[in-house]
Amino acid sequence: MQLLVDIGQKVPTLVVMRADDDAHTSSPDPVLRLRGVGKEFFGTSVLREIDLTLYPGQVHALVGENGAGKSTLMKIIAGVHRPDTGTIELDGPAVTFPTPLDAQRAGVATVFQEFNLLPDRSVAENVYLGREPRRRGLVDRRRLHADTTRLLDDLGLAGIASWTRVGSLSVAQQQVVEIVKAVSYDARIISMDEPTAALADQEVALLYELVRRLRDRGVAILYVSHRLQEIYDLADTITVLKDGNHVLTAPAAEVGPDRLVRTMVGRDFAGFFPDKPADAVPGEVRLALAGAGNTMVDDIDLEVRAGEIVALAGLQGSGRTEIAHGVFGIAPFTRGRMTVDGQPAQVRTPRQGVRHHLALVTEDRKSEGLALGQSVLANARLVLDAVLPRASDRRSRRIAGVLSSLEVAPSTVAAAQDTEVQYLSGGNQQKVVLAKWLVTEPRVIVLDEPTRGIDVGAKRAVYDLMRTLTADGTAVLLISSELPEVVAMADRILVVRDGRIAGELPGGSDEAAIMALATGAA
Amino acid sequence: MTLTADTSPGTARGTARRWRERLLSGGSWTVLALLVVVLAVIVVINPSFAEPVSLMAFAKKAAPLVVLAVGQYFVIVSGEFDLSVGSLVGAQVVIAARLIDGEEALTWPVLGLMLAFGLLVGLVNGLVTTLLRVPSFIATLGMMLVLFGAIRLWTGGAPTGALSEGFRVLGRKGFPDVPGQFQVPYALLVALVVVGLAVLVMRRPFGRSLVAAGDNDVAATYSGASVWWLRTRAFLLSSFLATVAAVLIGGYAGVTAQVGQGLEFMAITAVVLGGVALGGGRGTVVAAMVGALALEALFTLFNQLALPSTIRPAVQGVIIIVAVAYAARRRRT
């Protein structure tokens, strides 16, 4: 038990190597410096003792797994969050940014993943939104467009016209407009959160060009990305975060991809996961996809056998969830074949999915899994009520049995009837979601991030449940961003990248090998 | 009822606190308290109101609104509105009067036709809302205008014909049917049967799925529910119950050009007063019924106070805003 409590607070065993100032003797004075920055949310520490130094004219890559704290750190720099500990120094003296606007005025711009553009307005109107040049109280359109055109020309973006409607631009061009907007504030520091996440490969060149141009103009760039290729193409320095800790800062040239990946994932989780039963042999094929695809994913071949746990690993947005949605009929496959227990299965809606004895525990339990204002019991019988109403009446005792075997917090049936799910903890809510599927006795269960945002005790309960399910012959398809979970629980690991299956690895594989496949470094 | 961790059952103080929370919770207990208070005030002003005959007269008058409120409840709890019920009641009464035209033998065939027409209206409301994705506020507002206009067009502005005696029994008569004696109005029995059946329906998988769909339609869909069909059935129930209400109202009040007008807002006010959340997912049939009774009692009180009946819409407007604001305040905390 002691071990469980330690998870997440474990200090990585890797040697912490920090680039000292004299490693950058060729550089001028730092423009932005973070010292010992830490942040807590609701008593959970998400960042601890982060040091980060940005120099003008340099690209600094910030990397780490999902949940490592990159976004939080970016938001602290952007003035969205205020650090609980540590200081931010801008050109020497310590500063605070009470609001994002203060950061922007100080020359610190941030380009977030979600675009903040008005699609029906022109490029110029978007760039100068809220601070349009005025003449006699009215917007001076001529100057607005002249200023924007000058800015675009300066950045070598003559291909984008200032009057173009933003909605008619390509995604890459829209991303560029976001950056131009940042530059228009005379930003000396620009941080970018996965600027290429939404871009196709051929569009990335436009962004590269812009980043290099900004760097040459002396802007300090903080570049968050999952794609290793990009990091080595652009970055001068790399900082790695892991579980909220600062584990490495080094010149990009000195850290090879292997070591980088290893640094990102390395940790010690031994003993936390229930062991695989030694004598288990997977049974018949329960779920099979052959060449399945739709607009989001393609060429998906996979098999999950009775008693087997197959994991879909990959980065966020790689298409893992989309595969689950295809299987379950939320966004049905339009190509390829799917069979359940050897029978061809047409699953066009979740209702048909349930009828084929499939179950999907969705990624976001609050918005997709639960009716929060209803009781624990009502939620536990949600699927039966909706699809198998007769069984719902018959299986009352079974429903109660499942709830008690999962040790859901309101422990009596009466309490389960009276307690609205919204008042439960995340872990208990997740158990209610699991219960609503278990009472249908599924043959294939898809678990999308089943342990996200729940405490260690509930995590362990989910892992134990997975072992119980497979012992009973259920096929489990596990989607998870937590690599230790994937490695320890899965019999086989399929790595998804860009909507396709990039490769397969056996259970217990090296986390670094998974990351390499997921990022395309391999 | 919501979960309250700090109430200690058994002790007098715990009991008192639990009751206070219940009464202020904005749910069915609050509106029940309101109903009791309003009825008590009426009795103080006019002690004869407490006599069985007066109470039965009150029940007879309130029964159609209870039936409409139950219909509206199904739609609101599933996350939608039905603004067409007032016009539908008007249309049904006018259709009945014109087609029956005092002919006793036509009573049953015309009732059958009204049933079919009511269900058709409900089906259109439901399918336009769910399949064409027109917000129900607009879909049923359109239906309200279409019915209103079509009836005007058909009758040339003034309804003609007459209802048969047989048609008017449910709305007008009672049991035992001896003049001058105490009787239980049939309308009350109809309302009680409707409420009883609705309570049972809401305890069935259908009812639970309907509330779940109103609470979170994505979760309901991902749990395998056909949300479009659940909601369409709610509209069918609403239109069916509006038809039942039309039979009661036609029997009680006869045929006029104004019959049914404003009933949709009375029904919505009643449901909201009962603490049923707009947007769906919260509230009970019994609360909707008590809301209808409380609203009707309030209007009776205004009569006793000799306030002009023209004040009703203003009062109703204030009630609906206050009730929703009260519910919103409760949800924030």
Side-chain angles (χ1 to χ4, degrees), chain B residues 54-290:
Chain B
S54 306
L55 284 177
M56 285 303 129
F58 172 74
K60 189 160 143 185
K61 189 153 163 281
L65 186 61
V66 169
V67 172
L68 282 173
V70 170
Q72 193 68 240
Y73 165 81
F74 284 117
V75 177
I76 287 184
V77 88
S78 80
E80 305 289 347
F81 291 94
D82 190 351
L83 298 180
S84 69
V85 291
S87 279
L88 180 56
V89 167
Q92 296 280 35
V93 171
V94 169
I95 289 172
R98 177 139 178 183
L99 294 185
I100 293 175
D101 203 11
E103 199 69 51
E104 209 58 57
L106 287 174
T107 304
W108 285 105
V110 170
L111 278 174
L113 189 79
M114 288 166 68
L115 178 65
F117 181 68
L119 293 179
L120 178 71
V121 168
L123 189 67
V124 171
N125 280 339
L127 296 183
V128 168
T129 300
T130 56
L131 296 190
L132 299 185
R133 294 173 198 276
V134 178
S136 60
F137 186 81
I138 296 301
T140 60
L141 182 70
M143 180 58 84
M144 164 176 147
L145 294 173
V146 166
L147 289 175
F148 184 75
I151 288 302
R152 295 266 148 155
L153 194 66
W154 190 49
T155 60
T160 55
L163 298 168
S164 62
E165 277 309 304
F167 186 96
R168 299 193 65 170
V169 166
L170 276 186
R172 199 149 64 162
K173 297 284 170 64
F175 176 86
D177 193 6
V178 182
Q181 236 185 324
F182 170 79
Q183 52 177 213
V184 179
Y186 289 131
L188 174 61
L189 298 178
V190 169
L192 287 177
V193 168
V194 164
V195 169
L197 288 178
V199 167
L200 287 181
V201 163
M202 292 313 292
R203 288 184 180 174
R204 305 282 310 144
F206 163 74
R208 291 193 297 254
S209 298
L210 193 69
V211 185
D215 189 330
N216 183 347
D217 56 356
V218 175
T221 304
Y222 287 8
S223 297
S226 297
V227 172
W228 71 273
W229 178 227
L230 285 169
R231 287 191 169 139
T232 299
R233 278 184 282 175
F235 280 106
L236 283 168
L237 284 167
S238 174
S239 292
F240 168 70
L241 291 175
T243 305
V244 173
V247 173
L248 297 182
I249 290 171
Y252 181 78
V255 191
T256 62
Q258 286 82 37
V259 63
Q261 265 181 30
L263 277 181
E264 62 284 325
F265 287 112
M266 283 191 64
I268 292 172
T269 309
V271 170
V272 169
L273 196 56
V276 179
L278 293 180
R282 189 178 289 275
T284 64
V285 174
V286 173
M289 175 192 78
V290 178

Side-chain angles (χ1 to χ4, degrees), chain A residues 57-126:
Chain A
Q58 289 205 4
V59 178
H60 194 128
L62 184 62
V63 299
E65 289 182 291
N66 300 330
K70 305 180 302 264
S71 295
T72 309
L73 188 61
M74 276 194 75
K75 285 179 179 166
I76 285 173
I77 293 172
V80 176
H81 296 319
R82 294 178 76 170
D84 295 326
T85 62
T87 55
I88 304 175
E89 295 164 13
L90 190 64
D91 297 321
V95 291
T96 52
F97 300 136
T99 69
L101 199 61
D102 295 303
Q104 220 162 38
R105 289 205 180 113
V108 182
T110 305
V111 181
F112 290 107
Q113 242 178 60
E114 308 82 34
F115 295 168
N116 294 307
L117 297 173
L118 306 176
D120 288 321
R121 298 294 186 95
S122 69
V123 170
E125 285 166 328
N126 268 287

Side-chain angles (χ1 to χ4, degrees), chain A residues 14 101 106 109 118 147 159 230 271 282 314 349-351 408 410 431 471 495 515:
Chain A
L14 282 136
L101 199 61
L118 306 176
D147 287 357
E230 271 171 44
T349 61
R351 192 178 184 80
V408 178
K431 287 178 182 177
V495 182
M515 262 325 245

Side-chain angles (χ1 to χ4, degrees), chain A residues 180-232:
Chain A
V180 170
K181 196 168 146 186
V183 174
S184 74
Y185 281 92
D186 293 323
R188 290 172 304 136
I189 298 148
I190 301 182
S191 51
M192 304 181 188
D193 193 4
E194 297 205 48
T196 59
L199 308 190
D201 285 349
Q202 67 272 19
E203 295 178 317
V204 173
L206 180 66
L207 190 92
Y208 273 25
E209 178 69 28
L210 181 58
V211 169
R212 290 192 176 118
R213 217 174 263 265
L214 288 169
R215 180 196 62 195
D216 295 346
R217 284 165 48 137
V219 176
I221 293 168
L222 182 65
Y223 193 93
V224 174
S225 180
H226 271 126
R227 301 191 186 180
L228 294 190
Q229 191 59 49
E230 271 171 44
I231 290 160
Y232 286 105

